Amino acid sequence: MFETISYEVRDRVAWITMKRPDKLNAFIKQMNQEIQKAFKQAGRDEEVRAVVITGEGRAFCSGQDLSEVDENMNLGDVLRNYYGPMVKEIAQCEKPIIAAVNGVAAGAGMSLALACDFRLLSEKASFVEAFIHVGLIPDAGNLYYLTRLVGRAKALELAVLGEKVSAEKAKELGLATEVISLDEWDEKVEAFAIRLANMPTKAIGLIKRYLNESDKDDLHEYLEKEAYGQRIAGLTEDHREGVTAFMEKRKPEFKGK
């Protein structure tokens, strides 16, 4: 079904792996489209309760494959037709999404990681805002997410200077959820993903939805949306299970329903 990525579901987690290791998993149009399709599939699959995206080999994703770019291309159309739809599909997925950043995430590869909910970084991973080095602006939603994560001043600094950000520095800036040593990488990424997959999935989706809307409304509008969202959460099986487990002094067994 896929050629530039692999897609596997195990332990209620969808694992998406970019598979162009000889090109440091650089984006081509086909990979943009396949990642979009994979997230759509994960979002619709009731068995899937968390998503992980990572890269094969020594890189997460090095950004756009420049062999697909020529001076006559309309780069705006490239974003509208390929990167934009990919990022929107990720944003629409109401399941928790983990970027398992196993190596360098540069340019649009960094954008991809920023669009995810959690970023687990290998101790050898790094972020690079590579756009400035080829005279371009950060794209694929980069500044939208970066500003929300680190603030305007630091986002401007990272985007304009284009310097490599180590895993430890990324953690310090708030770009990394956790930095993981190489010898524990596979085990800890899987454990984190399974932890999320065992949580109340509907509530996580609502949290994501209302976080995204929190800076669009005034307080009164937001409080009304919050009340509506809590009504939805209160009707879920997982809410009932959580209350029952609390009363029975046991660990809840959430079903994602």
Side-chain angles (χ1 to χ4, degrees), residues 5 12 27-28 31 38 45 49 95 113 120 161 194 230 242:
I5 67 171
R12 298 182 297 280
F27 282 113
I28 56 175
M31 195 161 85
D45 188 346
R49 293 172 58 191
K95 296 172 183 179
L120 303 182
L161 299 182
I194 291 174
Q230 195 70 298

Side-chain angles (χ1 to χ4, degrees), residues 11 20 22 32 55 61 70 75 105 110 115 137-138 164 198 216:
D11 296 321
R20 303 187 72 230
D22 56 323
N32 291 135
C61 176
D70 66 68
L75 297 183
M110 179 176 176
I137 68 168
K164 180 184 288 189
N198 287 327
K216 300 176 184 177

